[in-house]
């Protein structure tokens, strides 16, 4: 980190600032030029508060030369992380396909979809039991009954289950969920992230609707800082000025995150597209960009789905897509596990 001081700063104020910085365990390289005085901060600066430095009154500008995240940073962990969940691997060459309905609606619906996606080669089953809906009048999910149905579907198909948590108060109820999903709307629920950091459970962290890539990585850092490195990141589209699609799949996020971080990254083309026919082209793009997996919504009767029917594939469409996904993933050096 580089701190540029105000030309009019008094030596006394500069000394005070330097003592404060050193007090936080950071070394300083002091450089006084004809135009500017600059402090080069050496060591781990991740815990330094830029705004606090600026508030000292003697600082003209602060520039970070290294990223504010440490544990998720590839710089300190060059090899890809592989997350194991329910006996399946994700990342470091292992490609995941997490498929299932947006929400668990009934035993018949879930079991039909679960059996179908298993037959087609999905590696995990998804299904929301607790749904974060924009309207309080929309279907909110079957809640604990939905969790029980997911357990039943796991017992029958052998697929690990992925489902969304809404609050840290639910952690006990989610103790046997294979991958706990943090939805886009909760990406910056920091208490939840901290609790998941202490839980040691595999976490699927989705990017917020308007979150930058750095904010997503900082949210993952919360979980790793608690001692849990079983984190999978998910690009699911962001909000832009475009109105013809539900969200804009930020495909550049995949190579950028893979360059910056060792954590696996998957893509959710369903929530990005908002419309079923676009799931296939976006899935192809995701694999080509280097994604470690896909999360795809599948419904046995999309027309009557209680949530996100328009973007849901039928089991037959999903089966078709899977042949292509398997070939393309293999071509890119990844295999379904
Ligand atoms: C979901 O995957 O069910 C979901 C609600 O997605 P997101 O949080 O990305 O909107
Ligand atoms: Mn959905």
């Amino acid at each position: 980190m580089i701190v540029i001081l105000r030309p009019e700063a008094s030596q006394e104020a500069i000394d005070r600032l330097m003592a404060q910085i050193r007090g936080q365990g950071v070394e300083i390289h002091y450089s006084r030029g004809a135009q500017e005085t600059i402090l080069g901060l050496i060591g781990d600066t991740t815990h330094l508060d830029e705004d606090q430095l600026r508030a000292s009154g003697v600082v003209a500008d602060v520039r970070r030369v290294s990223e504010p995240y440490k544990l998720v940073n590839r710089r300190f962990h060059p090899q890809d992380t592989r997350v194991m969940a329910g006996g399946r691997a994700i990342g470091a060459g292992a490609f995941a396909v997490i498929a299932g309905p947006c929400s668990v609606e009934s035993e018949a619906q879930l079991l039909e979809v679960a059996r179908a996606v298993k037959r087609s080669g999905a590696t995990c089953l998804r299904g929301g039991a607790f749904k974060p809906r924009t309207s309080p009048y929309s279907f909110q999910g079957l809640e604990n009954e939905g969790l029980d149905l997911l357990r039943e579907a796991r017992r029958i198909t052998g697929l690990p289950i992925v489902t969304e948590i809404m609050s840290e108060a639910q952690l006990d109820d989610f103790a046997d969920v294979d991958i706990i999903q943090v939805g886009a709307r909760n990406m910056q629920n920091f208490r939840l992230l901290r609790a998941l950091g202490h839980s040691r459970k595999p976490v699927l962290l989705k990017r917020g609707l308007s979150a930058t890539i750095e904010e997503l990585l900082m949210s993952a850092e919360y979980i790793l800082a608690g001692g849990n490195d079983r984190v999978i990141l998910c690009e699911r589209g962001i909000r832009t000025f475009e109105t013809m699609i539900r969200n804009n799949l930020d495909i550049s996020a995949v190579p950028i995150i893979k360059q910056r971080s060792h954590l696996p990254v998957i893509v959710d083309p369903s929530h990005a597209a908002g419309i079923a026919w676009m799931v296939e082209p976006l899935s192809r793009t995701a694999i080509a960009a280097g994604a470690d997996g896909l999360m795809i919504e599948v419904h046995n009767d999309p027309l009557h789905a209680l949530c996100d029917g328009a973007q849901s594939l039928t089991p037959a469409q999903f089966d078709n897509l899977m042949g292509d996904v398997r070939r393309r993933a293999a071509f890119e050096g990844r295999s379904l596990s």
Side-chain angles (χ1 to χ4, degrees):
M1 186 185 274
I2 292 167
V3 178
I4 302 159
L5 302 181
R6 289 186 188 282
E8 72 277 11
S10 71
Q11 193 57 47
E12 198 192 339
I14 295 174
D15 288 346
R16 243 194 333 266
L17 176 68
M18 287 173 62
Q20 181 206 326
I21 293 169
R22 287 201 180 100
Q24 296 184 70
V26 175
E27 279 180 49
I28 300 175
H29 179 264
Y30 179 84
S31 151
R32 175 159 225 138
Q35 309 291 330
E36 274 175 337
T37 301
I38 288 172
L39 308 181
L41 308 195
I42 305 154
D44 180 8
T45 59
T46 47
H47 56 287
L48 286 190
D49 183 345
E50 287 177 43
D51 292 334
Q52 199 188 9
L53 293 174
R54 284 201 173 86
S56 68
V58 294
V59 171
D61 201 7
V62 179
R63 297 205 193 130
R64 278 202 181 269
V65 286
S66 57
E67 300 83 4
Y69 44 86
K70 189 168 56 175
L71 300 171
V72 306
N73 201 326
R74 192 179 277 284
R75 202 193 288 245
F76 310 113
H77 187 299
Q79 69 280 25
D80 286 340
T81 285
R82 172 172 286 186
V83 174
M84 294 301 301
R88 305 279 183 151
I90 303 174
F95 193 87
V97 179
I98 304 169
C102 177
S103 53
V104 179
E105 297 173 10
S106 68
E107 183 177 26
Q109 172 245 17
L110 183 66
L111 294 186
E112 186 178 338
V113 175
R115 287 192 174 105
V117 299
K118 162 79 190 235
R119 258 197 316 274
S120 302
T123 62
C124 299
L125 175 67
R126 67 149 285 148
F130 297 85
K131 295 303 301 175
R133 303 303 299 276
T134 301
S135 165
Y137 310 116
S138 302
F139 175 59
Q140 304 285 310
L142 295 183
E143 307 194 331
N144 284 322
E145 189 195 333
L147 287 182
D148 285 339
L149 293 176
L150 283 164
R151 290 184 187 105
E152 187 189 348
R154 172 174 59 193
R155 192 175 47 73
I156 291 170
T157 62
L159 291 176
I161 52 176
V162 183
T163 195
E164 180 168 354
I165 195 166
M166 308 283 266
S167 144
E168 65 274 20
Q170 295 176 304
L171 265 171
D172 286 346
D173 292 339
F174 277 62
D176 67 344
V177 167
D178 299 291
I179 301 180
I180 300 182
Q181 176 174 330
V182 176
R185 289 152 192 83
N186 265 316
M187 187 203 85
Q188 286 190 319
N189 180 340
F190 299 117
R191 287 180 70 91
L192 174 60
L193 299 177
R194 276 200 192 283
L196 288 166
H198 295 131
S199 81
R200 308 288 187 272
K201 297 286 302 177
V203 177
L204 176 67
L205 178 62
K206 298 188 86 173
R207 182 177 179 186
L209 279 68
S210 304
T212 65
I213 294 169
E214 186 166 289
E215 284 165 344
L216 171 63
L217 292 172
M218 292 303 284
S219 289
E221 185 82 10
Y222 265 86
I223 304 172
L224 271 76
N228 182 3
D229 62 0
R230 303 169 81 190
V231 177
I232 304 147
L233 302 172
C234 180
E235 163 59 39
R236 44 78 74 206
I238 50 174
R239 282 213 168 136
T240 70
F241 51 83
E242 184 53 70
T243 55
M244 289 179 75
I245 34 179
R246 183 175 181 187
N247 291 288
N248 216 326
L249 180 63
D250 180 11
I251 201 66
S252 353
V254 177
I256 292 176
I257 294 171
K258 293 206 69 78
Q259 188 223 34
R260 302 292 167 104
S261 176
H262 52 89
L263 296 175
V265 186
I266 70 165
V267 166
D268 171 352
S270 306
H271 288 89
I275 186 89
W277 69 264
M278 272 186 68
V279 170
E280 194 215 323
L282 296 187
S283 298
R284 278 193 252 133
T285 316
I287 299 168
D292 297 296
L294 294 166
M295 181 185 238
I296 295 175
E297 287 188 344
V298 180
H299 199 285
N300 55 334
D301 183 7
L303 268 180
H304 297 101
L306 296 181
C307 185
D308 286 350
Q311 68 196 31
S312 297
L313 301 187
T314 61
Q317 289 168 329
F318 177 71
D319 192 58
N320 230 349
L321 175 69
M322 278 303 283
D324 194 39
V325 164
R326 209 176 286 107
R327 269 193 309 278
R328 286 173 193 273
F331 180 74
E332 298 286 340
R334 277 156 274 149
S335 53
L336 270 69
S337 77

